[in-house]
Amino acid sequence: MRCDERGAVTTVRRAGLIASIAVACSSIAIVAHAAGSAGSPQPPALRLPADVAYELVVGADRAVVFSHQTHFALAGNRCTACHPQTFRILTPTKHIAHREMDAGGSCGTCHDGRKAFGVRDSTACTSCHTGRRTVVEAATPGSPAGTRVASKGPAPITYSRSKASPGPVTFRHAAHVEHSLACASCHPRPFAMKVAETRTAPLHDASACGMCHDGAQAFAVEDAASCARCHAQGSAP
């Protein structure tokens, strides 16, 4: 009887011992392989880049924070899911436009609503727009690994007073986010998600703030006792 290096039986003189010999040969091969592997050097742990914040257009508070660690794990511990076909490693991408993603390029290659949540999905905004604070917090000693802080949204927006208005209205995203409202509660309807928007319809209208501020979901826009909650009365412009 002979066993080859893979543990297979190549010659057996007594047919009645085939099963026993096959098991013995396989065991020898496994032990030999384990012994050889024990002395081989282990590959070093992969050191992934730090989180990257994209804030050129949207600002630091609602910056997109890209985590290599998260995407590396979801891609089965493979860098090739993104590199080099979608993103080149030696020339890091410093600016990514939403129109590029919407057309299926850049992040939209995977975030298409099938492989991963879509870049056009308004309910998923805060999955990426977490704000630069997440980068700072992740670097703070004692901060839990992978900590993410919800974005407070863009800076306050002030709407000029009309002739019938008691004063200008300053809309604060942070105040609404604190009440657990998602971006999709207001975007893209009734408010388009733009850097700046010129309103033509009154904010009291049901196509604007009045959609939620109806007295049932939130205080009513027609409630005279609540005017000062939105309007800076007696001030300009």
Side-chain angles (χ1 to χ4, degrees):
M1 180 272 292
R2 292 187 297 110
C3 296
D4 65 18
E5 60 183 1
R6 294 173 300 173
V9 179
T10 56
T11 303
V12 179
R13 293 182 179 178
R14 300 182 63 181
L17 296 178
I18 289 179
S20 298
I21 294 172
V23 171
C25 290
S26 298
S27 299
I28 293 171
I30 292 172
V31 171
H33 176 74
S37 300
S40 60
Q42 295 298 316
L46 183 63
R47 184 177 180 180
L48 297 171
D51 287 0
V52 181
Y54 295 93
E55 58 184 32
L56 182 62
V57 175
V58 296
D61 192 57
R62 57 173 180 157
V64 171
V65 179
F66 178 83
S67 168
H68 280 88
Q69 185 65 51
T70 299
H71 289 77
F72 179 71
L74 291 174
N77 296 337
R78 294 183 303 110
C79 298
T80 52
C82 298
H83 304 297
Q85 186 170 355
T86 306
F87 297 100
R88 298 182 65 181
I89 296 178
L90 299 181
T91 54
T93 304
K94 297 182 179 180
H95 175 68
I96 299 175
H98 228 292
R99 61 178 176 273
E100 182 183 358
M101 293 187 285
D102 292 345
S106 186
C107 304
T109 303
C110 291
H111 287 278
D112 57 0
R114 296 186 297 274
K115 299 176 185 176
F117 64 85
V119 292
R120 292 175 175 270
D121 183 2
S122 58
T123 64
C125 297
T126 53
S127 296
C128 297
H129 289 273
T130 57
R132 177 174 270 281
R133 287 187 303 150
T134 61
V135 178
V136 177
E137 185 159 327
T140 303
S143 178
T147 298
R148 288 288 179 269
V149 182
S151 172
K152 287 186 177 181
I157 301 172
T158 299
Y159 295 94
S160 301
R161 64 179 300 177
S162 64
K163 292 181 179 179
S165 172
V169 171
T170 298
F171 177 85
R172 293 178 173 81
H173 283 86
H176 291 73
V177 170
E178 288 172 359
H179 284 81
S180 301
L181 289 177
C183 298
S185 300
C186 300
H187 304 298
R189 297 287 184 275
F191 297 98
M193 192 177 291
K194 298 179 180 178
V195 176
E197 180 184 19
T198 301
R199 292 294 303 173
T200 55
L203 293 177
H204 280 214
D205 197 85
S207 65
C209 302
M211 185 180 77
C212 292
H213 287 277
D214 56 1
Q217 302 176 70
F219 64 87
V221 291
E222 300 297 341
D223 181 6
S226 299
C227 293
R229 300 181 68 170
C230 297
H231 294 273
Q233 300 185 47
S235 61

